Amino acid sequence: MSDRTNDFRWSGREELHRWLQSEWRKALVEYRGHGAPFGASAQGLALWVEYGRITTAN
């Protein structure tokens, strides 16, 4: 494998990492805007995202 190909793969991974971080931050802002229905933890946010970011009254 050439060095150029290896550089491309690392660049792609770094870009993916930045994109995922950005999406997580956007989801966190949206989650907090809905009153953090599953609590303030990262697990609450993950649960909310997993089930389609739906907020309903109990």
Side-chain angles (χ1 to χ4, degrees):
M1 181 181 310
S2 72
D3 289 336
R4 185 179 177 108
T5 302
N6 195 34
D7 289 345
F8 175 76
R9 285 186 178 180
W10 278 110
S11 176
R13 287 179 184 171
E14 290 169 3
E15 186 176 330
L16 176 60
H17 182 73
R18 284 192 302 273
W19 179 79
L20 287 170
Q21 285 180 320
S22 173
E23 291 301 306
W24 185 263
R25 283 190 297 270
K26 286 190 252 181
L28 181 58
V29 167
E30 185 179 345
Y31 180 67
R32 288 178 177 166
H34 282 91
F38 297 105
S41 69
Q43 290 86 1
L45 171 60
L47 184 64
W48 188 67
V49 168
E50 182 177 348
Y51 287 100
R53 298 180 353 229
I54 298 171
T55 304
T56 58
N58 290 335

